[in-house]
Amino acid sequence: MNKVMSSASLVLAVLLCATPTITHAYSSDSYMHEAAYKDSLNRAVGGKPEAPGYWVNNAQETLYNILKAERKVAEAKNVIMFLGDGWGVPTITLSRILKGQAVDNVTFGEEGQLHIDTFPNIGMSKTFCADAQIADSACSSTAYLRGVKANVGTLGVTSDVRLGNCNAQNVDTNRVSSILAWAQAAGKSTGIVTTTRITHASPAGTYAHSASREWESDVDVPLMYRDKCSDIAAQLILEEPGKNINVILGGGRQKFLPVDVTDSESTNGERKDRKNLVELWKSSKNSDVNATYIETLNQLLMVDATKTDYLLGLFSPDHMAYYHDQLGDQDPSLTDMTEKAIQILSKNPKGFFLFVEGGRIDQAHHNNQALRSIWEAVEFDRAIKKGDDMTSDDDTLIVVTADHSHAFSFAGYAARGSNITQIGIRLGNDLKPYSGMSYANGPGWQPFTSGGRHNIANDPIHNVTYQQVPLVPLVSETHGGEDVMIFSKGPHSHLLAGVHFQSYIPHAMGYASCLGSGLTFCSENQGNSANINGLSISAFLALITNLIVISIFMT
Ligand SMILES: [Zn+2]
């Protein structure tokens, strides 16, 4: 073993001398932690591994904390669902290392901690959709927000609606309500926050019913359907439950403005129906409530949460900038938005439901930009910590999960403390280096030369804009089909431990917070019709399924 270790160290030392380019820190351009980031190879060579007592103490402390965290028996007054779009396990692990190295500045990186590492309950979600082995963000949002599996590309409708079938979208019994609507029905405040367009598939899963996730504004709907099927932005502003959402923060301003209206960033709207949905949103609010529309970080920071009932923030014409590229006073971070949303929503004594999406983890992966995606995941974890810090485990259920994974892997035998963009210390059989982070497919593909595979030795691999070189050329890298994680804490969070269909998640959240028409903690404890005591499983299922089928479609 020691011999193997010392051989590896020798190879590493040789590489250190021979390839000066790999001593670069991340070429993070503007990232605030760049100065704090220490060269990874120095860590690997100079860092001292922990003494055995460290691991023992850590394990005993973890055991103590888990034992101490008794199962909460109260109703979850608040529910916060954090959704990492495309946040698969390799992405999570790499974000832990990057955070350890570049933010927390621990010795190596791998021993660092994400906030989600502190969550007591871990489960797995089976993400396939009604008609597909591997999910997209629309059918999956229908599962994790509404409790039924749907077809690829469809939002808020049952699997009786095929992609693009406008007529089927409008059949009442094909429309499924979301946990956000259940929360509104119970008098709770509601909010949605994302880094993508607010009309994108994941956040739209909370409020829209659409046969196609693409129908974000009127011009996105095929002409033949425009007067029959309302677009997603219009549904958000003009229909329930969207128009009742208290806090709406994200990007996608163009979807809300007419073509002849120019926004604060000199971009024209795209709506041809001439509807100015921002103005319609403002005028829809009665004079006895405080409603504010904002477009910048500075405006967000100036919002007085104690006096705000409704907040609509559209910070970008399209998706918001990647965390790495955000400008000082234009773009709030996901953490900024989460903080303001909780400040506003937590005023309601009945509690709230908040959906927060780290939406661009997925988009950077689609572009084979691994480092950029991992930074998005680091920021996603920071927003989770903010939400957790602002609420109590006694009355707030926090659920963190992903819609699907990506065709992304983390492989090779890099030394402890290696920079995550580091090429492996071992060469491929073609005697060319390979990256530890790699994709099965995507747009970063490079054609073979007479010498074979593209040689990445001199590529700018530490830059966030660098595209890893995948195996198969594709215009957009694909999702991955393996199960994704569910991290949870707070009242009844143990219900989410184990391996579950993705469509189980809102049922468990509804139970914990006494929302929806299924079995709830409150109904179970008040002896009403959903009480399972004294019922056989088959009798219970017959009863509860009937109740849900009757009411789940009441949107
Ligand atoms: Zn995607």
Side-chain angles (χ1 to χ4, degrees), residues 474-538:
L474 268 185
V475 67
S476 176
E477 179 265 0
T478 68
H479 296 167
E482 75 270 21
D483 298 351
V484 295
M485 306 299 292
I486 312 168
F487 298 84
S488 60
K489 70 183 302 192
H492 311 288
S493 55
H494 65 282
L495 295 173
L496 287 158
V499 182
H500 301 286
F501 290 131
Q502 195 166 42
S503 46
Y504 166 75
I505 296 172
H507 292 266
M509 295 193 297
Y511 174 89
S513 53
C514 298
L515 298 177
S517 54
L519 182 64
T520 71
F521 173 71
C522 298
S523 60
E524 196 188 358
N525 284 275
Q526 288 167 5
N528 70 14
S529 60
N531 194 323
I532 60 173
N533 293 329
L535 283 179
S536 67
I537 288 179
S538 57

Side-chain angles (χ1 to χ4, degrees), residues 85-86 135-137 200 213 359 362-363 366 403-406 476-479:
D85 199 318
D136 85 307
S137 295
H200 213 238
R213 58 179 287 173
D362 174 75
Q363 293 173 336
H366 279 305
D403 45 2
H404 52 73
S405 187
H406 269 270
S476 176
E477 179 265 0
T478 68
H479 296 167

Side-chain angles (χ1 to χ4, degrees), residues 20-196:
T21 54
I22 60 175
T23 62
H24 289 172
Y26 298 103
S27 301
S28 53
D29 302 330
S30 61
Y31 189 71
M32 69 182 83
H33 298 294
E34 182 179 13
Y37 184 72
K38 289 188 171 176
D39 173 61
S40 61
L41 290 173
N42 286 339
R43 291 171 192 275
V45 172
K48 187 172 182 302
E50 300 80 355
Y54 170 84
W55 304 114
V56 173
N57 286 341
N58 181 277
Q60 287 295 316
E61 186 183 340
T62 303
L63 189 59
Y64 174 82
N65 285 332
I66 291 172
L67 291 170
K68 198 175 133 195
E70 60 183 295
R71 264 171 52 166
K72 303 293 180 187
V73 294
E75 168 191 351
K77 186 175 98 172
N78 312 312
V79 177
I80 308 177
M81 182 173 207
F82 287 95
L83 192 283
D85 199 318
W87 188 63
V89 172
T91 301
I92 296 171
T93 307
L94 284 156
S95 70
R96 181 185 301 118
I97 298 172
L98 182 60
K99 176 172 179 277
Q101 295 179 344
V103 180
D104 298 337
N105 203 23
V106 299
T107 304
F108 292 96
E110 296 82 359
E111 76 278 26
Q113 192 177 54
L114 292 170
H115 188 67
I116 47 118
D117 294 352
T118 67
F119 278 40
N121 293 301
I122 309 299
M124 294 186 79
S125 165
K126 296 180 274 191
T127 62
F128 68 93
C129 291
D131 63 346
Q133 205 161 47
I134 297 182
D136 85 307
S137 295
C139 59
S140 56
S141 75
T142 306
Y144 64 72
L145 287 164
R146 299 171 188 262
V148 298
K149 284 190 180 282
N151 294 324
V152 159
T154 65
L155 274 173
V157 290
T158 68
S159 57
D160 287 337
V161 179
R162 286 278 162 192
L163 179 61
N165 188 336
C166 167
N167 291 333
Q169 167 187 323
N170 289 329
V171 175
D172 281 348
T173 52
N174 290 343
R175 296 159 77 96
V176 196
S177 64
S178 74
I179 187 169
L180 178 137
W182 309 343
Q184 288 183 359
K188 293 178 189 285
S189 293
T190 52
I192 55 175
V193 170
T194 182
T195 49
T196 66

Side-chain angles (χ1 to χ4, degrees), residues 286-339:
N286 296 330
S287 56
D288 58 336
V289 298
N290 288 320
T292 306
Y293 172 70
I294 54 173
E295 295 189 348
T296 67
L297 168 62
N298 284 344
Q299 291 172 340
L300 179 76
L301 295 176
M302 286 171 62
V303 168
D304 183 347
T306 64
K307 294 179 180 154
T308 303
D309 303 304
Y310 293 90
L311 179 64
L312 172 61
L314 298 175
F315 300 102
S316 176
D318 195 354
H319 300 301
M320 290 173 65
Y322 285 109
Y323 183 52
H324 228 282
D325 304 335
Q326 289 186 335
L327 301 174
D329 58 359
Q330 178 63 43
D331 301 303
S333 66
L334 189 65
T335 305
D336 295 329
M337 295 191 288
T338 301
E339 180 175 18

